[in-house]
Amino acid sequence: MKVEIFSDIACPWCYIGKTRFERALSNYEHADAVEVVWRSFQLDPHAPTRDPGTSVDHLAHKYGVSRERALAMMDTATRVAAEEGLEFHLARALTANTFDAHRVAHIAAARGKAREVIARLMRAYQSEGANVADRGTLVALGAEAGLDETEVREALASGAYADAVEADLDRAAAYGVTGVPFFVFDETHGASGAQPAEFFLAALRQLGPQVDQIDSPGESEPSEHGDEGRGAATG
């Protein structure tokens, strides 16, 4: 079974959704039969690559509200994140362009370290106020998460993996993805949002391989419908 997860480094709900999905996967009986593919998405492809402002000021401007009101709007994500063991400091977050950060995520995927590196990038954005459009910052973050510092620096300088990011963005458009996180199960079933871990576990059990399917692949088809109620997976 393949699960594609479209997310943006700049999205707090993507970090929450990642945490919940991974907890569900750790409790899934056939987790070793699941291939997780992280896909790039940009909520704001026009975000600055230099001298980014704060996300709270951007949010206030976008919705025409005060800075205090924008901070209050962020509180919900912060509270939910805390329930998942994540510590957000969204008032520090910078509206930095995430394209190069997604390139680093692709380097990580090629080295089998996507999970760790994406988590490090998300924490840097949501909790530490890091400028993830700055290549020196990205090199340091990648190295902290286990990537080779020289490889990351040279890849960013050369434009490597830019085509992989663009391919993900095109794939998202083909699926009709307009918001993230968005989860696609075996290219046929979609689930939107940072659903509870229980939802993801139910989806994995319903749509994923059963014992007889692992022994004899292709003998039966999963149901087309996900868990009723909270954002069910849909075909």
Side-chain angles (χ1 to χ4, degrees):
M1 180 189 198
K2 180 170 72 174
V3 181
E4 298 169 81
I5 305 176
F6 291 84
S7 64
D8 192 4
I9 305 301
C11 169
W13 292 102
C14 291
Y15 197 3
I16 293 168
K18 176 183 187 296
T19 302
R20 289 174 168 177
F21 175 81
E22 289 174 347
R23 186 164 75 250
L25 187 62
S26 70
N27 290 317
Y28 178 45
E29 297 81 1
H30 308 304
D32 56 351
V34 178
E35 176 192 6
V36 177
V37 181
W38 294 95
R39 299 290 190 193
S40 307
F41 190 90
Q42 285 196 285
L43 289 168
D44 184 3
H46 303 296
T49 57
R50 295 178 181 273
D51 301 319
T54 65
S55 291
V56 63
D57 288 336
H58 173 77
L59 189 67
H61 177 75
K62 179 178 179 180
Y63 291 104
V65 299
S66 67
R67 193 174 192 276
E68 290 69 26
R69 175 56 182 155
L71 285 169
M73 293 167 67
M74 292 176 163
D75 281 347
T76 299
T78 299
R79 289 195 302 270
V80 174
E83 294 171 359
E84 302 299 331
L86 304 174
E87 183 177 339
F88 283 2
H89 296 284
L90 297 177
R92 303 177 186 172
L94 302 177
T95 56
N97 193 291
T98 57
F99 191 89
D100 278 348
H102 286 300
R103 291 171 61 203
V104 174
H106 274 281
I107 298 170
R111 299 292 173 261
K113 297 180 180 294
R115 178 177 177 271
E116 298 86 350
V117 170
I118 290 172
R120 184 66 190 95
L121 292 171
M122 287 181 168
R123 178 160 59 89
Y125 192 106
Q126 313 298 341
S127 304
E128 300 169 3
N131 179 2
V132 298
D134 178 75
R135 292 182 177 177
T137 298
L138 290 174
V139 169
L141 291 171
E144 285 180 27
L147 296 180
D148 180 80
E149 185 174 325
T150 300
E151 179 184 15
V152 176
R153 181 180 295 108
E154 292 178 350
L156 288 173
S158 70
Y161 296 97
D163 56 345
V165 177
E166 294 288 359
D168 281 354
L169 300 179
D170 290 344
R171 191 171 181 85
Y175 277 136
V177 177
T178 57
V180 287
F182 195 88
F183 302 78
V184 180
F185 298 80
D186 278 338
E187 301 184 346
T188 54
H189 303 80
S192 178
Q195 300 297 331
E198 294 80 7
F199 167 85
F200 288 125
L201 183 57
L204 288 167
R205 286 173 172 166
Q206 183 172 17
L207 303 173
Q210 307 300 315
V211 174
D212 58 342
Q213 289 177 307
I214 293 175
D215 293 338
S216 303
E219 287 186 358
S220 61
E221 293 293 328
S223 169
E224 184 178 338
H225 303 287
D227 191 39
E228 278 190 83
R230 301 170 301 185
T234 57

